[in-house]
Amino acid sequence: MEAVSFDYAMSEEAKAKKTALIERLLHDAHVRSFLKTHGLPDAFVHTHSGTFQQWLQTVEQCEHCKGLSFCPFHPKGYFLDLTYDGILTYGSKPCAYYKDERLRYAHQKRYRVMDFALEDLCIDLGRLSLQNESKEYREVVMHVLSHLGKERQEKGIYLSGPPGVGKTYLSIGITNYYAKQGKNCVFVNVAHLISSLKRLFQDNEAMENLYQRIVSADVAVFDDIGGESVTAWSRDDVLLPLLDERMNRHLLTYFTSNYTMEELQEKYRSFSSKGSEPVAALRLLERVKALSEEKILKGRSRR
């Protein structure tokens, strides 16, 4: 029986196109470098011209990339690169943008709760420009930096001030600093915390897990305290036990609020139409004061 042949004759036009492709590939700097690195002859390109062509298309896309958010590949930050170990194959590799992001975001693993955007992991108070800031704003920032520079901090900081002046930004910078030092951190938006606990009300295990993550973290920020919908439950059964346990464990705790400590006490005292609850409010504020010192942040709105 006559053997079946899989050799197909190419048209003159196809031959000309392949010849032109090989000529272009052999003059490409990336291909020349690949051949030199692996000690391969020019004839290798003739045999694998299609693979080299696809590879160069990937290389060209990566060379003109403006950043990880513009990456056309999936998963983002990984590209198909040629590898050779006797056989020419594609291999998936992380790009420089991906490696840089992993390095910048490496401290994310230290967060047990992180109620802020991923890109805010890049906030670094050491790089914060104060050139065009007000005297009052600079004084608070310098106090924060001095506080972080101490070998041991006895208390956290309670940052109060009007909305939009940068309280949350500074407090994220604080937890980023500690996370980079290897400390376990939680950054809790209080309104989001109350909402999360309500959703978990029928799941005791999940509630306890969240509670333990917050009370045991080396450093905690309670962001926008007083901005939540205040109830006796949120005040006495959520915030008070959390702050009480962190106080007893002598763990660093920070706060941001649109209210001064005095105003916050009034907020927690008179939220109910049924009358004021001065003792309950005072108990909570005693924990806040035991855990932190107040600094009032003033300046232009950043929103």
Side-chain angles (χ1 to χ4, degrees), residues 140-165:
V140 173
V141 173
M142 294 308 296
H143 176 82
V144 170
L145 293 174
S146 174
H147 167 85
L148 294 177
K150 292 179 181 178
E151 186 174 344
R152 179 176 174 80
Q153 296 85 2
E154 297 297 330
K155 286 185 175 185
I157 298 174
Y158 181 97
L159 283 174
S160 63
V165 294

PDB file of all heavy atoms in Angstrom, residues 140-165:
ATOM      1  N   VAL A 140      -0.143  68.494  62.320  1.00  0.00           N
ATOM      2  CA  VAL A 140      -0.733  67.192  62.642  1.00  0.00           C
ATOM      3  C   VAL A 140       0.036  66.069  61.950  1.00  0.00           C
ATOM      4  O   VAL A 140       0.324  65.025  62.557  1.00  0.00           O
ATOM      5  CB  VAL A 140      -2.227  67.143  62.251  1.00  0.00           C
ATOM      6  CG1 VAL A 140      -2.779  65.729  62.428  1.00  0.00           C
ATOM      7  CG2 VAL A 140      -3.023  68.117  63.099  1.00  0.00           C
ATOM      8  N   VAL A 141       0.372  66.273  60.679  1.00  0.00           N
ATOM      9  CA  VAL A 141       1.128  65.244  59.951  1.00  0.00           C
ATOM     10  C   VAL A 141       2.481  65.005  60.606  1.00  0.00           C
ATOM     11  O   VAL A 141       2.911  63.854  60.786  1.00  0.00           O
ATOM     12  CB  VAL A 141       1.308  65.635  58.468  1.00  0.00           C
ATOM     13  CG1 VAL A 141       2.240  64.644  57.762  1.00  0.00           C
ATOM     14  CG2 VAL A 141      -0.048  65.666  57.758  1.00  0.00           C
ATOM     15  N   MET A 142       3.163  66.081  60.980  1.00  0.00           N
ATOM     16  CA  MET A 142       4.459  65.929  61.642  1.00  0.00           C
ATOM     17  C   MET A 142       4.313  65.217  62.987  1.00  0.00           C
ATOM     18  O   MET A 142       5.189  64.435  63.386  1.00  0.00           O
ATOM     19  CB  MET A 142       5.124  67.297  61.827  1.00  0.00           C
ATOM     20  CG  MET A 142       5.505  67.982  60.524  1.00  0.00           C
ATOM     21  SD  MET A 142       6.499  66.937  59.420  1.00  0.00           S
ATOM     22  CE  MET A 142       7.990  66.720  60.410  1.00  0.00           C
ATOM     23  N   HIS A 143       3.212  65.470  63.675  1.00  0.00           N
ATOM     24  CA  HIS A 143       2.953  64.765  64.938  1.00  0.00           C
ATOM     25  C   HIS A 143       2.778  63.269  64.670  1.00  0.00           C
ATOM     26  O   HIS A 143       3.313  62.433  65.421  1.00  0.00           O
ATOM     27  CB  HIS A 143       1.705  65.324  65.618  1.00  0.00           C
ATOM     28  CG  HIS A 143       1.331  64.571  66.861  1.00  0.00           C
ATOM     29  ND1 HIS A 143       1.930  64.800  68.081  1.00  0.00           N
ATOM     30  CD2 HIS A 143       0.425  63.564  67.063  1.00  0.00           C
ATOM     31  CE1 HIS A 143       1.417  63.986  68.988  1.00  0.00           C
ATOM     32  NE2 HIS A 143       0.497  63.227  68.400  1.00  0.00           N
ATOM     33  N   VAL A 144       2.031  62.939  63.624  1.00  0.00           N
ATOM     34  CA  VAL A 144       1.822  61.526  63.266  1.00  0.00           C
ATOM     35  C   VAL A 144       3.149  60.859  62.935  1.00  0.00           C
ATOM     36  O   VAL A 144       3.446  59.752  63.401  1.00  0.00           O
ATOM     37  CB  VAL A 144       0.838  61.403  62.079  1.00  0.00           C
ATOM     38  CG1 VAL A 144       0.810  59.965  61.550  1.00  0.00           C
ATOM     39  CG2 VAL A 144      -0.560  61.833  62.498  1.00  0.00           C
ATOM     40  N   LEU A 145       3.975  61.533  62.131  1.00  0.00           N
ATOM     41  CA  LEU A 145       5.271  60.964  61.743  1.00  0.00           C
ATOM     42  C   LEU A 145       6.172  60.783  62.959  1.00  0.00           C
ATOM     43  O   LEU A 145       6.875  59.769  63.079  1.00  0.00           O
ATOM     44  CB  LEU A 145       5.948  61.859  60.702  1.00  0.00           C
ATOM     45  CG  LEU A 145       5.262  61.926  59.332  1.00  0.00           C
ATOM     46  CD1 LEU A 145       5.946  62.942  58.438  1.00  0.00           C
ATOM     47  CD2 LEU A 145       5.259  60.555  58.664  1.00  0.00           C
ATOM     48  N   SER A 146       6.154  61.763  63.855  1.00  0.00           N
ATOM     49  CA  SER A 146       6.938  61.659  65.080  1.00  0.00           C
ATOM     50  C   SER A 146       6.444  60.505  65.947  1.00  0.00           C
ATOM     51  O   SER A 146       7.233  59.746  66.529  1.00  0.00           O
ATOM     52  CB  SER A 146       6.859  62.974  65.861  1.00  0.00           C
ATOM     53  OG  SER A 146       7.490  62.861  67.113  1.00  0.00           O
ATOM     54  N   HIS A 147       5.134  60.368  66.003  1.00  0.00           N
ATOM     55  CA  HIS A 147       4.499  59.284  66.756  1.00  0.00           C
ATOM     56  C   HIS A 147       4.939  57.920  66.212  1.00  0.00           C
ATOM     57  O   HIS A 147       5.304  57.021  66.977  1.00  0.00           O
ATOM     58  CB  HIS A 147       2.980  59.458  66.650  1.00  0.00           C
ATOM     59  CG  HIS A 147       2.188  58.272  67.098  1.00  0.00           C
ATOM     60  ND1 HIS A 147       1.849  58.041  68.412  1.00  0.00           N
ATOM     61  CD2 HIS A 147       1.646  57.248  66.381  1.00  0.00           C
ATOM     62  CE1 HIS A 147       1.135  56.929  68.502  1.00  0.00           C
ATOM     63  NE2 HIS A 147       1.003  56.433  67.282  1.00  0.00           N
ATOM     64  N   LEU A 148       4.933  57.775  64.883  1.00  0.00           N
ATOM     65  CA  LEU A 148       5.321  56.498  64.269  1.00  0.00           C
ATOM     66  C   LEU A 148       6.805  56.208  64.473  1.00  0.00           C
ATOM     67  O   LEU A 148       7.215  55.045  64.505  1.00  0.00           O
ATOM     68  CB  LEU A 148       4.996  56.519  62.767  1.00  0.00           C
ATOM     69  CG  LEU A 148       3.519  56.584  62.385  1.00  0.00           C
ATOM     70  CD1 LEU A 148       3.357  56.667  60.876  1.00  0.00           C
ATOM     71  CD2 LEU A 148       2.755  55.386  62.938  1.00  0.00           C
ATOM     72  N   GLY A 149       7.594  57.263  64.596  1.00  0.00           N
ATOM     73  CA  GLY A 149       9.033  57.094  64.750  1.00  0.00           C
ATOM     74  C   GLY A 149       9.469  56.681  66.140  1.00  0.00           C
ATOM     75  O   GLY A 149      10.632  56.305  66.342  1.00  0.00           O
ATOM     76  N   LYS A 150       8.550  56.729  67.100  1.00  0.00           N
ATOM     77  CA  LYS A 150       8.905  56.335  68.469  1.00  0.00           C
ATOM     78  C   LYS A 150       9.128  54.826  68.551  1.00  0.00           C
ATOM     79  O   LYS A 150       8.479  54.056  67.857  1.00  0.00           O
ATOM     80  CB  LYS A 150       7.795  56.746  69.442  1.00  0.00           C
ATOM     81  CG  LYS A 150       7.638  58.242  69.618  1.00  0.00           C
ATOM     82  CD  LYS A 150       6.499  58.552  70.579  1.00  0.00           C
ATOM     83  CE  LYS A 150       6.312  60.052  70.754  1.00  0.00           C
ATOM     84  NZ  LYS A 150       5.168  60.366  71.644  1.00  0.00           N
ATOM     85  N   GLU A 151      10.027  54.456  69.424  1.00  0.00           N
ATOM     86  CA  GLU A 151      10.308  53.028  69.608  1.00  0.00           C
ATOM     87  C   GLU A 151       9.092  52.299  70.167  1.00  0.00           C
ATOM     88  O   GLU A 151       8.835  51.146  69.842  1.00  0.00           O
ATOM     89  CB  GLU A 151      11.501  52.853  70.550  1.00  0.00           C
ATOM     90  CG  GLU A 151      11.957  51.417  70.689  1.00  0.00           C
ATOM     91  CD  GLU A 151      13.227  51.279  71.507  1.00  0.00           C
ATOM     92  OE1 GLU A 151      13.918  52.299  71.713  1.00  0.00           O
ATOM     93  OE2 GLU A 151      13.528  50.144  71.946  1.00  0.00           O
ATOM     94  N   ARG A 152       8.336  52.981  70.999  1.00  0.00           N
ATOM     95  CA  ARG A 152       7.128  52.385  71.572  1.00  0.00           C
ATOM     96  C   ARG A 152       6.044  53.449  71.695  1.00  0.00           C
ATOM     97  O   ARG A 152       6.292  54.543  72.185  1.00  0.00           O
ATOM     98  CB  ARG A 152       7.430  51.789  72.951  1.00  0.00           C
ATOM     99  CG  ARG A 152       6.218  51.172  73.629  1.00  0.00           C
ATOM    100  CD  ARG A 152       6.596  50.526  74.938  1.00  0.00           C
ATOM    101  NE  ARG A 152       5.431  50.058  75.668  1.00  0.00           N
ATOM    102  CZ  ARG A 152       4.783  48.924  75.417  1.00  0.00           C
ATOM    103  NH1 ARG A 152       5.210  48.133  74.449  1.00  0.00           N
ATOM    104  NH2 ARG A 152       3.730  48.553  76.116  1.00  0.00           N
ATOM    105  N   GLN A 153       4.848  53.116  71.240  1.00  0.00           N
ATOM    106  CA  GLN A 153       3.713  54.035  71.336  1.00  0.00           C
ATOM    107  C   GLN A 153       2.779  53.548  72.437  1.00  0.00           C
ATOM    108  O   GLN A 153       2.373  52.382  72.436  1.00  0.00           O
ATOM    109  CB  GLN A 153       2.938  54.116  70.014  1.00  0.00           C
ATOM    110  CG  GLN A 153       3.723  54.693  68.856  1.00  0.00           C
ATOM    111  CD  GLN A 153       4.573  53.652  68.138  1.00  0.00           C
ATOM    112  OE1 GLN A 153       4.547  52.489  68.476  1.00  0.00           O
ATOM    113  NE2 GLN A 153       5.328  54.083  67.150  1.00  0.00           N
ATOM    114  N   GLU A 154       2.478  54.427  73.371  1.00  0.00           N
ATOM    115  CA  GLU A 154       1.578  54.063  74.472  1.00  0.00           C
ATOM    116  C   GLU A 154       0.114  54.116  74.040  1.00  0.00           C
ATOM    117  O   GLU A 154      -0.709  53.351  74.522  1.00  0.00           O
ATOM    118  CB  GLU A 154       1.799  55.009  75.663  1.00  0.00           C
ATOM    119  CG  GLU A 154       3.193  54.940  76.262  1.00  0.00           C
ATOM    120  CD  GLU A 154       3.512  53.574  76.850  1.00  0.00           C
ATOM    121  OE1 GLU A 154       2.568  52.880  77.312  1.00  0.00           O
ATOM    122  OE2 GLU A 154       4.696  53.191  76.832  1.00  0.00           O
ATOM    123  N   LYS A 155      -0.214  55.062  73.163  1.00  0.00           N
ATOM    124  CA  LYS A 155      -1.585  55.249  72.694  1.00  0.00           C
ATOM    125  C   LYS A 155      -1.600  55.453  71.186  1.00  0.00           C
ATOM    126  O   LYS A 155      -0.581  55.804  70.584  1.00  0.00           O
ATOM    127  CB  LYS A 155      -2.219  56.479  73.349  1.00  0.00           C
ATOM    128  CG  LYS A 155      -2.624  56.332  74.789  1.00  0.00           C
ATOM    129  CD  LYS A 155      -3.353  57.598  75.234  1.00  0.00           C
ATOM    130  CE  LYS A 155      -3.901  57.471  76.638  1.00  0.00           C
ATOM    131  NZ  LYS A 155      -4.712  58.665  77.007  1.00  0.00           N
ATOM    132  N   GLY A 156      -2.793  55.266  70.612  1.00  0.00           N
ATOM    133  CA  GLY A 156      -2.993  55.623  69.219  1.00  0.00           C
ATOM    134  C   GLY A 156      -3.379  57.091  69.112  1.00  0.00           C
ATOM    135  O   GLY A 156      -3.165  57.880  70.032  1.00  0.00           O
ATOM    136  N   ILE A 157      -3.948  57.464  67.982  1.00  0.00           N
ATOM    137  CA  ILE A 157      -4.344  58.854  67.738  1.00  0.00           C
ATOM    138  C   ILE A 157      -5.809  58.874  67.310  1.00  0.00           C
ATOM    139  O   ILE A 157      -6.262  58.026  66.539  1.00  0.00           O
ATOM    140  CB  ILE A 157      -3.471  59.488  66.635  1.00  0.00           C
ATOM    141  CG1 ILE A 157      -2.006  59.509  67.080  1.00  0.00           C
ATOM    142  CG2 ILE A 157      -3.936  60.908  66.301  1.00  0.00           C
ATOM    143  CD1 ILE A 157      -1.044  59.979  65.990  1.00  0.00           C
ATOM    144  N   TYR A 158      -6.526  59.847  67.816  1.00  0.00           N
ATOM    145  CA  TYR A 158      -7.919  60.092  67.424  1.00  0.00           C
ATOM    146  C   TYR A 158      -7.906  61.325  66.528  1.00  0.00           C
ATOM    147  O   TYR A 158      -7.743  62.448  66.999  1.00  0.00           O
ATOM    148  CB  TYR A 158      -8.761  60.328  68.675  1.00  0.00           C
ATOM    149  CG  TYR A 158     -10.239  60.575  68.434  1.00  0.00           C
ATOM    150  CD1 TYR A 158     -11.158  59.544  68.551  1.00  0.00           C
ATOM    151  CD2 TYR A 158     -10.709  61.847  68.115  1.00  0.00           C
ATOM    152  CE1 TYR A 158     -12.520  59.774  68.364  1.00  0.00           C
ATOM    153  CE2 TYR A 158     -12.059  62.091  67.919  1.00  0.00           C
ATOM    154  CZ  TYR A 158     -12.966  61.049  68.039  1.00  0.00           C
ATOM    155  OH  TYR A 158     -14.306  61.287  67.847  1.00  0.00           O
ATOM    156  N   LEU A 159      -8.043  61.113  65.219  1.00  0.00           N
ATOM    157  CA  LEU A 159      -8.033  62.214  64.258  1.00  0.00           C
ATOM    158  C   LEU A 159      -9.453  62.714  64.040  1.00  0.00           C
ATOM    159  O   LEU A 159     -10.294  62.002  63.487  1.00  0.00           O
ATOM    160  CB  LEU A 159      -7.453  61.758  62.917  1.00  0.00           C
ATOM    161  CG  LEU A 159      -5.931  61.610  62.809  1.00  0.00           C
ATOM    162  CD1 LEU A 159      -5.568  61.020  61.450  1.00  0.00           C
ATOM    163  CD2 LEU A 159      -5.245  62.947  63.003  1.00  0.00           C
ATOM    164  N   SER A 160      -9.734  63.930  64.495  1.00  0.00           N
ATOM    165  CA  SER A 160     -11.058  64.511  64.276  1.00  0.00           C
ATOM    166  C   SER A 160     -10.925  65.699  63.335  1.00  0.00           C
ATOM    167  O   SER A 160      -9.853  66.289  63.188  1.00  0.00           O
ATOM    168  CB  SER A 160     -11.681  64.946  65.598  1.00  0.00           C
ATOM    169  OG  SER A 160     -10.912  65.974  66.207  1.00  0.00           O
ATOM    170  N   GLY A 161     -12.030  66.040  62.695  1.00  0.00           N
ATOM    171  CA  GLY A 161     -12.023  67.159  61.766  1.00  0.00           C
ATOM    172  C   GLY A 161     -13.159  67.034  60.781  1.00  0.00           C
ATOM    173  O   GLY A 161     -13.813  65.988  60.697  1.00  0.00           O
ATOM    174  N   PRO A 162     -13.421  68.089  60.023  1.00  0.00           N
ATOM    175  CA  PRO A 162     -14.528  68.065  59.071  1.00  0.00           C
ATOM    176  C   PRO A 162     -14.304  67.055  57.952  1.00  0.00           C
ATOM    177  O   PRO A 162     -13.167  66.634  57.703  1.00  0.00           O
ATOM    178  CB  PRO A 162     -14.555  69.501  58.526  1.00  0.00           C
ATOM    179  CG  PRO A 162     -13.176  70.021  58.758  1.00  0.00           C
ATOM    180  CD  PRO A 162     -12.694  69.375  60.012  1.00  0.00           C
ATOM    181  N   PRO A 163     -15.373  66.654  57.265  1.00  0.00           N
ATOM    182  CA  PRO A 163     -15.236  65.690  56.166  1.00  0.00           C
ATOM    183  C   PRO A 163     -14.311  66.211  55.070  1.00  0.00           C
ATOM    184  O   PRO A 163     -14.305  67.400  54.751  1.00  0.00           O
ATOM    185  CB  PRO A 163     -16.679  65.555  55.634  1.00  0.00           C
ATOM    186  CG  PRO A 163     -17.547  65.985  56.776  1.00  0.00           C
ATOM    187  CD  PRO A 163     -16.783  67.042  57.502  1.00  0.00           C
ATOM    188  N   GLY A 164     -13.509  65.305  54.518  1.00  0.00           N
ATOM    189  CA  GLY A 164     -12.707  65.626  53.339  1.00  0.00           C
ATOM    190  C   GLY A 164     -11.335  66.200  53.585  1.00  0.00           C
ATOM    191  O   GLY A 164     -10.611  66.488  52.624  1.00  0.00           O
ATOM    192  N   VAL A 165     -10.924  66.361  54.848  1.00  0.00           N
ATOM    193  CA  VAL A 165      -9.625  66.996  55.106  1.00  0.00           C
ATOM    194  C   VAL A 165      -8.459  66.005  55.064  1.00  0.00           C
ATOM    195  O   VAL A 165      -7.301  66.408  55.136  1.00  0.00           O
ATOM    196  CB  VAL A 165      -9.604  67.754  56.450  1.00  0.00           C
ATOM    197  CG1 VAL A 165     -10.544  68.943  56.402  1.00  0.00           C
ATOM    198  CG2 VAL A 165      -9.933  66.825  57.608  1.00  0.00           C
TER     199      VAL A 165
END
